[in-house]
Amino acid sequence: MSTTVGLWALAADPIDKIPAPHIEYTQLSPTLIVLGAALIGVLVEAFVPRKARYYAQVFLTVAALASAFAAVVALAAGGYGTAKAHVAAMGAIAVDGPALFLQGTILLASVVAVFTFAERRLDPEAHGNRVDSFAAQAASVPGSDSEKAAVKAGFATTEVFPLMLFAVSGMLIFPAADDLLTLFVALEVFSLPLYLLCALARRQRLMSQEAAVKYFLLGAFSSAFLLFGIALVYGYAGSVSYSVIADVVDGTVQKIDPALAGTMGNDALLLIGGALILMGLLFKVGAVPFHMWTPDVYQGAPTPVTGFMAAATKVAAFGALLRLLYVVLPGLRWDWRPVMWGVAIVTMLAGAVIAITQTDVKRLLAYSSIAHAGFILAGVIATSKEGVSSVLFYLAAYSFVTIGAFAVVTLVRDAGGEATHLSKWAGLGRRSPLTAAVFAVFLLAFAGIPLTSGFAGKFAVFKAAAEGGAGALVVVGVISSAIAAFFYIRVIVLMFFSEPKADGPTVAVPSFLTMTTIAVGVAVTVVLGVAPQYFLELAGHASTFVR
C-alpha cells in the first residue's frame, strides 16, 4: 500500500517542463523563404492546372530567390556579418560574414540559373507546344509509348523548380552549419534534388539517367564517409558542436561527459574522423581523387542543371570546408595542411592535363572545374583572413562565369539537340560571331587572362597562399594555369580560325531569359576583372568566422 502511495506522490510532483527551442526566425529568413517557396511549389504541382503551372513555378521561384537575397542584404546591413555575428538556432547555424556572403552568392547564381531552366525557345516546337530542356514525363521509360504520348500532349516537368528550391535551401544551410549533424542534414537536403534533376534531360535520356545513377551511388558513398567521420569525431569530443570540438582539440574544454570519458581526447578518433569528414566535403568540391563523378555527371545532366550544379554546389561546399578547417580544426593545422597541399597540387595538375584530351565541351568544362577547385584550395591552405576573403571572391566570380558558359553551350544545336562535340564548334565564329565572342570571354576568364574576373580571383588566392607560406603551391598553380590556358585558347582558335562545316550546327535564338543569363555572366566577368577592388573589400569585410 505504501509503495502505491509513494508512486502516486511521485506522479503528483511537478516536473520541469521541456524547454521550447529558441529559433531566431528573422536571422534564418533567407533559408526559410526558399524552403517555404519550395513547399508551395509542391502544392502548385498538385492543385494548379497543367497549362498554368510553368508560369506559376517560374514566378514563384524567381520571387522566392530574390526575396531571400533581399533578406541576406538586410541582415548584412543590420550588422549580422560583423558586430552582431553569432550562432543562431540553439547552436545549429552561424550567422556571420562568410555565411551571408556565400548565401548571397548562391542566391544570385540561382536566380541567373533559373532563367536557363525556364528557357523554352531553343528546341523546335513539338506538336505545337514549346519545350524546355527537361523530359516531358520523367517517370516514363525512355522511348516508350507513354513518353511519346506525354510529348504529344505537351506535358512539361515543372517539378524541376521546387526541386531546385529544395536544393538551394540545403546549399544555404551547408556553409552556415555550426554543428556536424546540421552539416549532414544540409548535405542530404541539397544532394537528393540534384540526383533527380540530373536524370531529367529531354534528349539523350539514357545518358542522363546513367549520370544520375553514378552521381547518386558515389554521393551515397561520400555521405557515408561523412557520417562515419561525424560519429568518430563525436566519440572524440563528446559533442557535434563546432565550438565544443574546437575546444577539445585545443585542450580548453571544461566539462567531460562521463559516458564518453573513455574515448574523449583519443587522437586516433579525431584524425580518422576529421579525414573522413574532409573526404565527404572534397567529393562535393570535385577535388582529386574524389572527382570521378564530375565529367560523367556534367556531360549527362541537362545543361541548365549542369551550370547550376557546377556553380552553386562549389560555393556551398567550399563554404562548409572553410568553416570546418578554420573554426573546428585550426588546432590541427599542422596535420591537415600537408594533406591539403597534396590534394590541391594533384587537383590542379590533373584537371588541367586531362582537360587537354577532351573532345566534348561539357567534359572539358568539367575538368576545368576540377582544376579551379585546386586553385581555390590554394586560398583555403593560406589559413589567414586574406585566404578566406580571396576564396569568397573567387567563388563569386567563378559561379557567374560557369553559369554563363553552360548557357552558351545550350545554344549550339544540331538535329540531335545540343552539339557538344568540339569538332562541331569549328568555324562557329564565322556562323555566329556574337555567340563565339561571348564564349571566348568566358574561356579567357577561366584561363585567368588580365581584365577578366578569373585573373582577379587567381591573383587573390595565389597572393594569399604565398603570404601564408605556400609559395611552392603558387608555382604549381601558375604552371597548371598555363597548361589550362592551352586548351581554352585551342577552343577559341577552333571557333574563329577553322572553316565551318557545311552540315555544322546552328545557333538557336534564345528568349530574353537565356540572353539575361549570358549578359549577366559577361557583365560580372568584365566588372570583376576591370574593377575588382570594391568586391575584394566586401569579401574582406565578410571573412571573419564566428566562434
Side-chain angles (χ1 to χ4, degrees), residues 349-420:
L349 288 173
V353 171
I354 300 174
I356 293 173
T357 65
Q358 299 307 307
T359 56
D360 186 276
V361 173
K362 287 168 80 174
R363 288 183 79 87
L364 185 143
L365 291 175
Y367 280 105
S368 157
S369 84
I370 292 167
H372 281 283
F375 300 142
I376 300 170
L377 283 173
V380 174
I381 289 166
T383 60
S384 63
K385 196 176 174 189
E386 289 72 27
V388 178
S389 64
S390 68
V391 169
L392 296 180
F393 177 83
Y394 200 123
L395 289 169
Y398 173 81
S399 55
F400 288 97
V401 180
T402 303
I403 292 172
F406 280 107
V408 174
V409 172
T410 63
L411 303 184
V412 183
R413 295 180 167 259
D414 58 17
E418 290 166 7
T420 58

Side-chain angles (χ1 to χ4, degrees), residues 443-468:
L443 291 175
L444 292 173
F446 282 134
I449 302 300
L451 299 183
T452 64
S453 58
F455 174 77
K458 275 185 187 169
F459 184 82
V461 292
F462 288 162
K463 179 170 177 281
E467 289 173 353

